[in-house]
Amino acid sequence: MQRAGMEHLSFVFADRATVPGWLGVDVRDEIAQHILDLRPDRVLLVTDGTVAGLYDDYFARLSSRDGETGGAEPPIVNKFIAPSGDACKSWKILSSLVEWAFKVGATKRTVIVGFGGGAVMNVAGLFASMLFRGSKLVYVPTTLLAMHDVTTSLKTSICFDGRKNNIGTFYAPMKILIDVAFCRSLPRSELFSGIGELAKNAALLGGKHAEGFRKALSSDRINGEHGGSGEEFAIDDGTLSVLLALGIEAKMSVLKEDAYEKTSGMIFEYGHTVSHAIEKAYGDGVVPHGLGVVYGMLSSSLVAERLGYMSAADRDEHDDLCNLLLRRWPLPSPMPPLELVFSLAMRDSKRGLCGESDDEVADVLLRKMGDVVPTSTNNLSKFPAAILEEWLETMGFPRTAGVDTKCA
């Protein structure tokens, strides 16, 4: 159903799922009605403390009599407030969600709403995929990253044993509902995180994705004088909508053929081997994910040049694009030990797909922007870990006296 003020989207994940989506600005009533149209007996609202504090009454229409319920009583709304960031992606929180669902009386008519950023949506999706072997799920993302990069994937996940996203499922929501207005309250670091994944798309696909990224980052709409401070600032709704459209198109153009991101879709792991290591080494929430990805891209371009895939000129073009963002958000001090980042990269969840030896690591590599190095191993290339170690040292990650990376 098309609702006033919302543009209809279609998220096609090959032959696995086609998920209807809607996008608009200041559309809280329309979003609530989309949920009511599913005729739930109960809504399990999964969010975090930050979002709950900012938008406590966003779904008030669900439990009022203002919404259209087809003559039925309004659903009961139960709220679960999880920790912010990756702290919510744990066994403890997942177990608590399951226990909570049965305690409040969830049924197969119940709808789970993931309301927050990517971490909340990841754990809410995993929870929904397990409850009753699959429950009705709706995503309402509140960050730019979640709006264009998390909604465009069937992946759900939690983190275990100090590693990123190593437990999860593939699961499709029933609806994706995007209100661009949430981006107005994002701190600079979170907005830049969402833009970071757009930098990845620009490098992978080139063309209009690169041009759109350069235009957005070169614009005086983004004031980078205090990059990473966490202060709020604004990008107009029109620019955000254009960026969202580019981000969604980039992912869906590939995932329409590879729903589970095992072959062609693996390209979107570009930069993630090092990104996940940096994020974990700093501690959850210190380095926003999308920014970590762009730093990971810099490491991959060095590898590609060293292996003879990428020319020096093409590497310069690639890195110049990355630095449009990174010059506004330098890695914070103090930096974690080089050996810790290195050891985490060597334990990446993709490890094994390339048959890496003990002194090798793997990531997606490019010949130039818009030209991925194809491989028979899911578009991943293995390479000597010594090149990664060199890059970490060049970036200023400090060594710990007496610690050998080969044994880290």
Side-chain angles (χ1 to χ4, degrees):
M1 179 184 297
Q2 180 76 31
R3 297 198 179 280
M6 298 197 81
E7 175 188 356
H8 181 260
L9 307 171
S10 188
F11 296 78
V12 179
F13 299 94
D15 60 351
R16 299 300 178 179
T18 297
V19 180
W22 287 265
L23 182 150
V25 182
D26 293 317
V27 285
R28 59 186 291 175
D29 286 348
E30 291 89 340
I31 283 178
Q33 189 57 53
H34 269 293
I35 296 170
L36 291 174
D37 288 346
L38 297 174
R39 301 291 185 259
D41 60 349
R42 185 181 301 272
V43 173
L44 300 184
L45 187 63
V46 181
T47 188
D48 64 31
T50 300
V51 174
L54 289 170
Y55 303 106
D56 184 58
D57 63 346
Y58 189 83
F59 291 102
R61 184 181 176 91
L62 290 178
S63 51
S64 76
R65 294 188 177 275
D66 294 333
E68 300 173 15
T69 61
E73 288 294 311
I76 298 168
V77 179
N78 300 107
K79 185 184 298 184
F80 185 101
I81 300 179
S84 298
D86 272 6
C88 74
K89 294 171 59 171
S90 69
W91 274 119
K92 180 180 179 181
I93 297 301
L94 181 61
S95 298
S96 297
L97 283 166
V98 173
E99 293 170 4
W100 167 69
F102 289 120
K103 181 178 180 180
V104 301
T107 73
K108 291 188 175 183
R109 286 183 55 207
T110 295
V111 172
I112 296 168
V113 176
F115 179 47
V120 164
M121 288 169 55
N122 281 173
V123 72
L126 181 54
F127 165 49
S129 74
M130 296 171 63
L131 187 67
F132 300 118
R133 296 181 180 173
S135 293
K136 296 176 183 177
L137 172 66
V138 173
Y139 285 145
V140 183
T142 60
T143 67
L144 178 61
L145 179 66
M147 289 175 188
H148 74 80
D149 191 65
V150 181
T151 60
T152 51
S153 176
L154 298 179
K155 292 178 179 177
T156 75
S157 67
I158 58 172
C159 304
F160 180 69
D161 193 30
R163 300 165 71 179
K164 287 274 289 186
N165 304 331
N166 54 339
I167 295 174
T169 60
F170 291 92
Y171 193 67
M174 295 194 72
K175 294 183 178 183
I176 296 167
L177 307 173
I178 301 173
D179 188 344
V180 179
F182 287 121
C183 292
R184 297 172 186 157
S185 64
L186 292 178
R188 180 179 287 102
S189 60
E190 191 58 54
L191 187 55
F192 281 177
S193 182
I195 294 172
E197 287 281 4
L198 294 171
K200 179 194 70 178
N201 296 342
L204 288 171
L205 303 177
K208 63 182 178 182
H209 298 282
E211 181 57 33
F213 179 83
R214 290 191 184 101
K215 183 177 180 180
L217 267 290
S218 299
S219 170
D220 59 6
R221 296 188 185 103
I222 297 181
N223 176 359
E225 292 179 0
H226 304 289
S229 69
E231 298 174 10
E232 294 183 359
F233 75 111
I235 292 181
D236 68 89
D237 296 337
T239 299
L240 286 169
S241 295
V242 170
L243 290 173
L244 279 171
L246 282 171
I248 291 170
E249 180 187 345
K251 288 285 289 289
M252 300 318 301
S253 67
V254 177
L255 269 58
K256 68 181 180 181
E257 305 295 339
D258 179 21
Y260 291 165
E261 301 174 56
K262 300 293 188 184
T263 53
S264 58
M266 186 64 79
I267 65 171
F268 293 111
E269 287 293 304
Y270 185 49
H272 280 59
T273 299
V274 171
S275 170
H276 289 165
I278 290 174
E279 292 169 57
K280 281 298 182 183
Y282 267 101
D284 293 341
V286 177
V287 177
H289 174 65
L291 288 159
V293 167
V294 184
Y295 278 104
M297 290 164 57
L298 290 181
S299 73
S300 294
S301 71
L302 170 64
V303 172
E305 184 183 21
R306 286 294 175 82
L307 298 184
Y309 292 125
M310 183 179 280
S311 71
D314 287 330
R315 184 183 172 205
D316 285 343
E317 181 184 13
H318 172 280
D319 291 2
D320 285 348
L321 180 137
C322 294
N323 285 320
L324 284 173
L325 178 61
L326 297 184
R327 64 184 173 84
R328 294 179 167 94
W329 208 97
L331 286 171
S333 296
M335 300 175 82
L338 180 151
E339 295 83 5
L340 176 58
V341 182
F342 183 87
S343 68
L344 288 166
M346 295 295 283
R347 299 171 60 209
D348 184 73
S349 60
K350 299 183 292 297
R351 190 166 185 83
L353 290 174
C354 292
E356 304 95 321
S357 62
D358 290 345
D359 60 354
E360 292 178 318
V361 68
D363 203 344
V364 176
L365 297 178
L366 304 183
R367 294 190 182 101
K368 60 181 179 180
M369 286 174 42
D371 187 1
V372 176
V373 175
T375 73
S376 59
T377 50
N378 308 75
N379 285 306
L380 292 171
S381 298
K382 61 183 179 180
F383 53 87
I387 305 177
L388 169 58
E389 183 180 359
E390 176 191 341
W391 180 82
L392 292 170
E393 192 164 32
T394 300
M395 291 297 295
F397 288 93
R399 287 187 177 275
T400 303
V403 177
D404 186 350
T405 54
K406 294 183 177 61
C407 302

